Amino acid sequence: WRTPNARYQAHGLYLPSLRENTLGRIAILCDTSGSMDETSLGFARGIVESVIEECKPASVDLYYVDAAVCGHDHFEQGEPLDWRPSAGGGTDFTTFFAEIEKSDEQPICIIGISDLQATFPASEPEVPVLWLVTPNPYAWAPSNVQAPWGETVNLEV
């Protein structure tokens, strides 16, 4: 039961309003570099599925990124996730953010799923960015890392 439609309340009817409870278009960056192992990529897939299921965005642009954008999939609301990560090299997010910047339709937000072992653009984009940091299985990798900009959430298994 959404917000009631005030037009019908005077008649004693409780009917939902016609407001849409969905997000607009979102972009999801999935780090597919060599430092993201199979467990981390499986964790990333679960995050993407949860975002699609719980937030119900109008559409999702899913980007697979290592040193460049290695893949891009577009999903409209209700379409199943087609998970096809590729790459495995180093990590540089500058090409991803350049591609987002030159896009005709800007997303309402960007969700980055990564271990943050990456090169970032010097300037922060105008679109809000949420970094979801996967647990890193390597002993040499620092824990509780922070992105240079945007909101950072370090996830635990």
Side-chain angles (χ1 to χ4, degrees):
W1 289 92
R2 300 183 207 170
T3 306
N5 190 330
R7 197 178 287 178
Y8 298 102
Q9 285 182 327
H11 302 289
L13 297 172
Y14 186 88
L15 297 173
S17 65
L18 298 178
R19 272 190 251 162
E20 189 71 32
N21 284 342
T22 60
L23 290 173
R25 175 180 168 259
I26 66 170
I28 300 177
L29 174 157
C30 182
D31 180 352
T32 57
S33 66
S35 62
M36 293 284 286
D37 65 352
E38 289 299 317
T39 303
S40 296
L41 288 175
F43 201 66
R45 179 185 178 145
I47 292 169
V48 172
E49 288 173 339
S50 294
V51 166
I52 291 170
E53 182 179 315
E54 293 178 25
C55 298
K56 298 184 184 355
S59 64
V60 174
D61 283 301
L62 177 60
Y63 295 85
Y64 303 105
V65 181
D66 65 359
V69 175
C70 300
H72 172 224
D73 289 319
H74 178 82
F75 306 99
E76 292 295 325
Q77 189 175 40
E79 289 183 350
L81 173 64
D82 185 16
W83 183 253
R84 299 180 294 163
S86 60
T91 318
D92 186 348
F93 295 149
T94 55
T95 56
F96 164 77
F97 284 100
E99 190 167 322
I100 291 292
E101 192 173 296
K102 72 178 181 181
S103 174
D104 293 335
E105 184 184 349
Q106 291 293 305
I108 62 163
C109 69
I110 297 170
I111 299 172
I113 307 167
S114 174
D115 58 6
L116 296 185
Q117 305 299 315
T119 302
F120 291 82
S123 61
E124 182 174 357
E126 292 182 20
V127 177
V129 180
L130 173 65
W131 295 102
L132 301 176
V133 183
T134 59
N136 199 316
Y138 304 108
W140 52 265
S143 60
N144 294 326
V145 294
Q146 294 291 314
W149 35 258
E151 293 288 322
T152 304
V153 177
N154 286 278
L155 304 172
E156 296 179 12
V157 179

XYZ file of all heavy atoms in Angstrom, residues 16-91:
566
model
N -4.247 3.267 -3.673
C -2.885 3.792 -3.812
C -2.814 4.913 -4.850
O -3.613 4.976 -5.780
C -2.075 2.571 -4.266
C -3.067 1.664 -4.883
C -4.366 1.907 -4.181
N -1.849 5.782 -4.652
C -1.622 6.852 -5.623
C -0.958 6.264 -6.861
O -0.528 5.106 -6.877
C -0.745 7.942 -5.020
O 0.536 7.425 -4.749
N -0.841 7.054 -7.883
C -0.265 6.581 -9.140
C 1.229 6.864 -9.239
O 1.807 6.775 -10.301
C -1.010 7.227 -10.322
C -2.483 6.878 -10.403
C -3.130 7.613 -11.567
C -2.678 5.387 -10.539
N 1.840 7.205 -8.120
C 3.279 7.456 -8.125
C 4.051 6.184 -8.398
O 3.692 5.105 -7.936
C 3.738 8.007 -6.781
C 3.640 9.503 -6.731
C 4.330 9.989 -5.512
N 3.275 10.460 -4.630
C 3.402 10.661 -3.352
N 4.536 10.414 -2.765
N 2.409 11.093 -2.640
N 5.130 6.337 -9.123
C 6.005 5.215 -9.458
C 7.053 5.056 -8.357
O 7.678 6.028 -7.952
C 6.690 5.493 -10.794
C 7.447 4.332 -11.358
C 6.538 3.221 -11.848
O 5.429 3.521 -12.307
O 6.943 2.067 -11.763
N 7.254 3.850 -7.863
C 8.241 3.584 -6.821
C 9.486 2.941 -7.415
O 9.915 1.873 -6.983
C 7.659 2.676 -5.737
C 6.734 3.415 -4.816
O 6.763 4.632 -4.761
N 5.920 2.691 -4.081
N 10.077 3.560 -8.417
C 11.295 3.027 -9.015
C 12.344 4.120 -9.088
O 12.044 5.308 -9.057
C 11.062 2.507 -10.447
O 10.607 3.591 -11.252
C 10.065 1.377 -10.476
N 13.561 3.689 -9.188
C 14.667 4.610 -9.446
C 14.737 4.860 -10.941
O 14.160 4.132 -11.730
C 15.994 3.984 -9.009
C 16.241 3.815 -7.526
C 17.519 3.033 -7.319
C 16.335 5.162 -6.852
N 15.503 5.826 -11.315
C 15.770 6.046 -12.731
C 16.853 5.103 -13.206
O 17.045 4.005 -12.667
N 17.595 5.532 -14.187
C 18.696 4.735 -14.744
C 19.892 4.805 -13.805
O 20.267 5.880 -13.346
C 19.071 5.310 -16.108
C 20.256 4.666 -16.744
C 20.539 5.319 -18.103
N 21.818 4.902 -18.594
C 22.921 5.632 -18.517
N 22.894 6.835 -17.991
N 24.058 5.169 -18.982
N 20.493 3.640 -13.502
C 21.710 3.608 -12.698
C 22.817 2.933 -13.489
O 22.561 2.139 -14.401
C 21.510 2.915 -11.336
C 21.206 1.424 -11.511
C 20.433 3.595 -10.521
C 21.235 0.661 -10.198
N 24.049 3.255 -13.142
C 25.219 2.615 -13.744
C 25.946 1.841 -12.653
O 26.101 2.339 -11.533
C 26.141 3.658 -14.367
N 26.366 0.627 -12.987
C 27.110 -0.201 -12.048
C 28.449 -0.538 -12.674
O 28.513 -1.078 -13.784
C 26.349 -1.489 -11.692
C 25.007 -1.153 -11.048
C 27.188 -2.371 -10.766
C 24.139 -2.351 -10.710
N 29.518 -0.217 -11.972
C 30.871 -0.551 -12.391
C 31.267 -1.810 -11.645
O 31.220 -1.839 -10.418
C 31.804 0.599 -12.028
C 33.300 0.437 -12.244
C 33.948 1.809 -12.361
C 33.991 -0.359 -11.178
N 31.638 -2.850 -12.373
C 32.123 -4.079 -11.751
C 33.591 -4.240 -12.122
O 33.940 -4.388 -13.293
C 31.317 -5.285 -12.216
S 31.851 -6.800 -11.412
N 34.437 -4.176 -11.126
C 35.885 -4.340 -11.310
C 36.153 -5.800 -11.667
O 35.824 -6.702 -10.900
C 36.577 -3.953 -10.011
C 38.093 -4.077 -10.049
O 38.641 -4.607 -11.034
O 38.726 -3.646 -9.071
N 36.716 -6.037 -12.850
C 37.033 -7.404 -13.279
C 38.536 -7.582 -13.462
O 38.985 -8.420 -14.238
C 36.308 -7.759 -14.593
O 36.669 -6.811 -15.588
C 34.807 -7.768 -14.403
N 39.316 -6.798 -12.736
C 40.773 -6.872 -12.858
C 41.307 -8.160 -12.247
O 40.570 -8.934 -11.638
C 41.409 -5.661 -12.173
O 41.180 -5.723 -10.779
N 42.592 -8.368 -12.392
C 43.232 -9.584 -11.893
C 43.170 -9.738 -10.385
O 43.239 -10.853 -9.867
N 43.023 -8.636 -9.651
C 42.966 -8.734 -8.190
C 41.590 -9.165 -7.685
O 41.431 -9.453 -6.504
C 43.357 -7.398 -7.554
O 42.462 -6.380 -7.934
N 40.604 -9.217 -8.567
C 39.269 -9.685 -8.189
C 39.172 -11.176 -8.542
O 39.056 -11.542 -9.704
C 38.192 -8.895 -8.939
C 38.112 -7.438 -8.558
S 37.317 -7.142 -6.976
C 35.617 -7.427 -7.407
N 39.243 -12.033 -7.530
C 39.187 -13.477 -7.774
C 37.749 -13.932 -8.010
O 36.819 -13.134 -7.984
C 39.844 -14.241 -6.620
C 39.107 -14.077 -5.301
O 38.175 -13.249 -5.220
O 39.466 -14.774 -4.341
N 37.555 -15.229 -8.232
C 36.225 -15.776 -8.507
C 35.251 -15.541 -7.363
O 34.075 -15.275 -7.586
C 36.322 -17.279 -8.816
C 36.956 -17.596 -10.149
C 36.175 -17.017 -11.319
O 34.936 -17.094 -11.318
O 36.814 -16.474 -12.235
N 35.743 -15.619 -6.128
C 34.881 -15.373 -4.976
C 34.390 -13.934 -4.975
O 33.206 -13.668 -4.753
C 35.633 -15.677 -3.663
O 36.100 -17.023 -3.703
C 34.753 -15.465 -2.454
N 35.301 -12.987 -5.236
C 34.929 -11.571 -5.279
C 33.959 -11.288 -6.412
O 33.010 -10.504 -6.254
C 36.176 -10.699 -5.434
O 37.013 -10.821 -4.314
N 34.166 -11.917 -7.568
C 33.240 -11.717 -8.689
C 31.869 -12.327 -8.399
O 30.846 -11.773 -8.788
C 33.828 -12.293 -9.976
C 34.996 -11.503 -10.568
C 35.583 -12.237 -11.772
C 34.564 -10.101 -10.959
N 31.837 -13.446 -7.701
C 30.562 -14.023 -7.287
C 29.846 -13.120 -6.293
O 28.620 -12.953 -6.346
N 30.610 -12.529 -5.406
C 30.081 -11.572 -4.445
C 29.499 -10.365 -5.190
O 28.409 -9.892 -4.876
C 31.230 -11.147 -3.522
C 30.815 -10.581 -2.204
C 30.167 -11.363 -1.264
C 31.095 -9.260 -1.890
C 29.799 -10.835 -0.036
C 30.731 -8.731 -0.675
C 30.082 -9.516 0.259
N 30.228 -9.895 -6.215
C 29.777 -8.752 -7.024
C 28.476 -9.077 -7.742
O 27.563 -8.250 -7.797
C 30.860 -8.353 -8.018
N 28.372 -10.281 -8.280
C 27.138 -10.672 -8.968
C 25.950 -10.630 -8.010
O 24.868 -10.158 -8.348
C 27.275 -12.061 -9.580
C 25.996 -12.483 -10.278
C 26.033 -13.892 -10.794
N 24.747 -14.197 -11.404
C 24.589 -14.958 -12.446
N 25.636 -15.505 -13.021
N 23.397 -15.187 -12.922
N 26.141 -11.121 -6.804
C 25.078 -11.085 -5.802
C 24.643 -9.661 -5.477
O 23.457 -9.383 -5.303
N 25.604 -8.743 -5.426
C 25.289 -7.337 -5.169
C 24.461 -6.778 -6.317
O 23.448 -6.106 -6.090
C 26.573 -6.522 -4.964
C 27.262 -6.931 -3.661
C 26.264 -5.029 -4.974
C 28.661 -6.373 -3.500
N 24.878 -7.047 -7.554
C 24.145 -6.539 -8.718
C 22.718 -7.080 -8.717
O 21.758 -6.335 -8.926
C 24.875 -6.888 -10.033
C 24.035 -6.537 -11.241
C 26.223 -6.190 -10.103
N 22.549 -8.363 -8.459
C 21.211 -8.959 -8.416
C 20.366 -8.320 -7.314
O 19.179 -8.040 -7.516
C 21.308 -10.470 -8.204
C 21.819 -11.203 -9.420
C 22.087 -12.679 -9.171
O 22.256 -13.076 -7.983
O 22.141 -13.435 -10.153
N 20.967 -8.068 -6.153
C 20.235 -7.446 -5.049
C 19.806 -6.026 -5.379
O 18.685 -5.620 -5.069
C 21.092 -7.423 -3.780
O 21.327 -8.721 -3.325
N 20.690 -5.263 -6.009
C 20.354 -3.886 -6.389
C 19.189 -3.887 -7.368
O 18.231 -3.111 -7.221
C 21.580 -3.167 -6.990
C 21.180 -1.885 -7.692
C 22.612 -2.879 -5.921
N 19.233 -4.764 -8.356
C 18.159 -4.832 -9.353
C 16.845 -5.246 -8.703
O 15.796 -4.666 -8.963
C 18.545 -5.791 -10.500
C 19.687 -5.180 -11.329
C 17.348 -6.106 -11.384
C 20.300 -6.133 -12.329
N 16.897 -6.240 -7.815
C 15.681 -6.761 -7.193
C 15.082 -5.796 -6.173
O 13.879 -5.570 -6.148
C 15.984 -8.095 -6.514
C 14.776 -8.742 -5.880
C 15.124 -10.071 -5.237
O 15.836 -10.865 -5.868
O 14.679 -10.285 -4.095
N 15.923 -5.196 -5.337
C 15.409 -4.376 -4.240
C 15.153 -2.925 -4.626
O 14.206 -2.317 -4.139
C 16.371 -4.443 -3.059
C 16.415 -5.825 -2.436
C 17.415 -5.920 -1.296
O 17.725 -4.879 -0.681
O 17.879 -7.032 -1.036
N 15.991 -2.350 -5.473
C 15.850 -0.927 -5.820
C 14.945 -0.707 -7.023
O 14.460 0.392 -7.227
C 17.223 -0.315 -6.081
S 18.298 -0.371 -4.645
N 14.767 -1.731 -7.834
C 13.911 -1.669 -9.022
C 14.207 -0.457 -9.908
O 13.326 0.360 -10.178
C 12.448 -1.701 -8.627
C 12.065 -2.977 -7.905
C 10.601 -3.041 -7.610
C 10.160 -4.231 -6.824
N 11.031 -5.272 -6.487
N 15.461 -0.328 -10.358
C 15.770 0.800 -11.243
C 15.052 0.653 -12.586
O 14.759 -0.465 -13.023
C 17.285 0.714 -11.412
C 17.616 -0.712 -11.139
C 16.600 -1.200 -10.150
N 14.780 1.786 -13.228
C 14.130 1.768 -14.549
C 15.013 1.029 -15.542
O 14.524 0.270 -16.378
C 13.859 3.187 -15.019
N 16.326 1.241 -15.458
C 17.273 0.513 -16.289
C 18.628 0.499 -15.601
O 18.917 1.342 -14.747
C 17.388 1.128 -17.687
O 17.921 2.425 -17.616
N 19.442 -0.471 -15.990
C 20.780 -0.628 -15.422
C 21.778 -0.735 -16.564
O 21.574 -1.503 -17.502
C 20.876 -1.900 -14.548
C 22.303 -2.135 -14.075
C 19.924 -1.829 -13.373
N 22.843 0.043 -16.466
C 23.986 -0.118 -17.357
C 25.086 -0.749 -16.535
O 25.571 -0.146 -15.570
C 24.435 1.233 -17.927
C 23.523 1.691 -19.035
O 23.394 0.964 -20.023
O 22.925 2.777 -18.899
N 25.447 -1.980 -16.869
C 26.463 -2.728 -16.144
C 27.746 -2.723 -16.960
O 27.751 -3.162 -18.110
C 25.982 -4.166 -15.902
C 26.941 -5.131 -15.223
C 27.335 -4.632 -13.833
C 26.295 -6.513 -15.121
N 28.819 -2.206 -16.359
C 30.111 -2.103 -17.037
C 31.112 -3.027 -16.357
O 31.224 -3.030 -15.125
C 30.654 -0.677 -16.960
C 29.830 0.348 -17.684
C 28.736 0.959 -17.085
C 30.153 0.725 -18.984
C 27.977 1.904 -17.751
C 29.407 1.676 -19.655
C 28.323 2.260 -19.035
O 27.586 3.201 -19.698
N 31.842 -3.797 -17.159
C 32.932 -4.635 -16.665
C 34.219 -3.882 -16.975
O 34.515 -3.585 -18.133
C 32.922 -5.999 -17.353
C 31.616 -6.730 -17.189
C 30.703 -6.829 -18.232
C 31.289 -7.320 -15.973
C 29.504 -7.497 -18.078
C 30.084 -7.997 -15.818
C 29.202 -8.080 -16.873
O 28.007 -8.746 -16.716
N 34.988 -3.560 -15.928
C 36.117 -2.649 -16.091
C 37.381 -3.246 -15.483
O 37.358 -3.743 -14.358
C 35.806 -1.287 -15.413
C 36.954 -0.316 -15.585
C 34.511 -0.700 -15.939
N 38.483 -3.181 -16.233
C 39.809 -3.411 -15.657
C 40.636 -2.173 -16.018
O 40.362 -1.102 -15.523
C 40.426 -4.748 -16.054
C 40.742 -4.907 -17.529
O 40.483 -3.991 -18.320
O 41.279 -5.960 -17.895
N 41.631 -2.273 -16.908
C 42.387 -1.094 -17.327
C 41.591 -0.247 -18.314
O 41.960 0.884 -18.616
C 43.717 -1.509 -17.935
N 40.492 -0.800 -18.814
C 39.578 -0.104 -19.726
C 38.192 -0.718 -19.543
O 38.027 -1.682 -18.792
C 40.041 -0.269 -21.170
N 37.216 -0.178 -20.223
C 35.881 -0.776 -20.196
C 35.922 -1.998 -21.114
O 36.123 -1.876 -22.318
C 34.804 0.224 -20.656
C 33.448 -0.461 -20.732
C 34.743 1.415 -19.717
N 35.757 -3.186 -20.535
C 35.877 -4.438 -21.294
C 34.531 -5.000 -21.725
O 34.484 -5.907 -22.545
C 36.605 -5.476 -20.451
S 38.242 -4.952 -19.986
N 33.470 -4.487 -21.168
C 32.145 -4.963 -21.531
C 31.090 -4.032 -20.978
O 31.305 -3.350 -19.974
N 29.948 -4.003 -21.655
C 28.842 -3.146 -21.234
C 27.541 -3.851 -21.592
O 27.349 -4.264 -22.728
C 28.928 -1.787 -21.934
C 27.741 -0.920 -21.704
N 27.148 -0.203 -22.710
C 27.016 -0.666 -20.593
C 26.114 0.472 -22.219
N 26.017 0.203 -20.947
N 26.667 -4.015 -20.608
C 25.347 -4.595 -20.818
C 24.305 -3.614 -20.311
O 24.508 -2.945 -19.296
C 25.196 -5.923 -20.069
C 26.028 -7.029 -20.683
O 26.070 -7.108 -21.919
O 26.632 -7.808 -19.922
N 23.185 -3.554 -21.021
C 22.079 -2.678 -20.634
C 20.860 -3.553 -20.347
O 20.522 -4.433 -21.143
C 21.774 -1.680 -21.757
C 20.628 -0.783 -21.439
N 20.772 0.340 -20.661
C 19.322 -0.854 -21.768
C 19.584 0.932 -20.540
N 18.695 0.220 -21.200
N 20.209 -3.321 -19.215
C 19.038 -4.073 -18.820
C 17.907 -3.111 -18.501
O 18.096 -2.164 -17.738
C 19.296 -4.925 -17.574
C 20.477 -5.835 -17.702
C 21.704 -5.495 -17.167
C 20.356 -7.039 -18.363
C 22.798 -6.331 -17.288
C 21.433 -7.887 -18.485
C 22.659 -7.535 -17.947
N 16.747 -3.369 -19.045
C 15.546 -2.622 -18.673
C 14.920 -3.323 -17.476
O 15.210 -4.491 -17.204
C 14.556 -2.575 -19.842
C 15.028 -1.761 -21.027
C 15.186 -0.279 -20.731
O 14.388 0.267 -19.927
O 16.115 0.337 -21.278
N 14.053 -2.619 -16.769
C 13.404 -3.201 -15.597
C 12.668 -4.482 -15.986
O 11.951 -4.525 -16.982
C 12.437 -2.201 -14.988
C 11.891 -2.643 -13.662
C 11.021 -1.583 -13.018
O 10.249 -0.921 -13.689
N 11.162 -1.432 -11.717
N 12.885 -5.529 -15.210
C 12.228 -6.805 -15.447
C 13.039 -7.779 -16.285
O 12.723 -8.959 -16.330
N 14.074 -7.312 -16.969
C 14.910 -8.214 -17.767
C 15.860 -8.972 -16.849
O 16.348 -8.418 -15.853
C 15.725 -7.435 -18.804
C 14.917 -6.871 -19.925
C 15.781 -6.158 -20.965
O 16.982 -5.930 -20.733
O 15.212 -5.831 -22.010
N 16.157 -10.234 -17.169
C 17.073 -10.998 -16.320
C 18.518 -10.523 -16.497
O 18.905 -10.005 -17.543
C 16.911 -12.439 -16.838
C 16.463 -12.278 -18.250
C 15.635 -11.025 -18.281
N 19.296 -10.702 -15.440
C 20.712 -10.344 -15.461
C 21.477 -11.345 -16.319
O 21.334 -12.553 -16.144
C 21.273 -10.342 -14.036
C 22.778 -10.138 -13.896
C 23.176 -8.750 -14.398
C 23.199 -10.310 -12.446
N 22.255 -10.831 -17.247
C 23.133 -11.658 -18.074
C 24.553 -11.338 -17.621
O 25.126 -10.331 -18.013
C 22.927 -11.321 -19.556
C 23.721 -12.243 -20.468
O 24.179 -13.298 -20.001
O 23.892 -11.887 -21.646
N 25.114 -12.182 -16.759
C 26.401 -11.932 -16.117
C 27.528 -12.441 -17.005
O 27.665 -13.643 -17.206
C 26.420 -12.617 -14.759
C 27.645 -12.395 -13.949
C 28.635 -13.298 -13.711
C 28.015 -11.201 -13.256
N 29.592 -12.740 -12.912
C 29.243 -11.452 -12.615
C 27.437 -9.943 -13.127
C 29.894 -10.490 -11.844
C 28.083 -8.995 -12.355
C 29.294 -9.276 -11.731
N 28.329 -11.516 -17.564
C 29.412 -11.898 -18.472
C 30.696 -11.118 -18.174
O 31.159 -10.333 -18.998
C 28.992 -11.633 -19.917
C 27.771 -12.418 -20.331
C 27.387 -12.140 -21.742
N 26.949 -10.752 -21.868
C 26.852 -10.098 -23.016
N 27.156 -10.687 -24.130
N 26.439 -8.851 -23.059
N 31.286 -11.294 -16.991
C 32.519 -10.555 -16.709
C 33.656 -11.033 -17.606
O 33.749 -12.211 -17.955
C 32.795 -10.869 -15.246
C 32.106 -12.149 -14.991
C 30.918 -12.190 -15.907
N 34.476 -10.091 -18.006
C 35.648 -10.423 -18.816
C 36.775 -9.502 -18.420
O 36.565 -8.505 -17.748
C 35.330 -10.257 -20.301
O 34.949 -8.924 -20.560
N 37.967 -9.827 -18.808
C 39.173 -9.023 -18.579
C 40.114 -9.754 -17.661
O 40.233 -10.958 -17.749
C 38.833 -7.642 -18.052
N 40.755 -9.029 -16.744
C 41.692 -9.655 -15.824
C 43.020 -8.944 -15.729
O 43.930 -9.448 -15.105
N 43.137 -7.766 -16.287
C 44.403 -7.026 -16.242
C 44.489 -6.111 -15.038
O 43.969 -6.403 -13.973
N 45.148 -4.975 -15.232
C 45.269 -3.957 -14.190
C 43.946 -3.225 -14.027
O 42.939 -3.584 -14.631
N 43.935 -2.186 -13.188
C 42.687 -1.487 -12.925
C 42.863 0.020 -13.071
O 43.670 0.616 -12.374
C 42.173 -1.781 -11.504
O 42.355 -3.157 -11.227
C 40.721 -1.422 -11.373
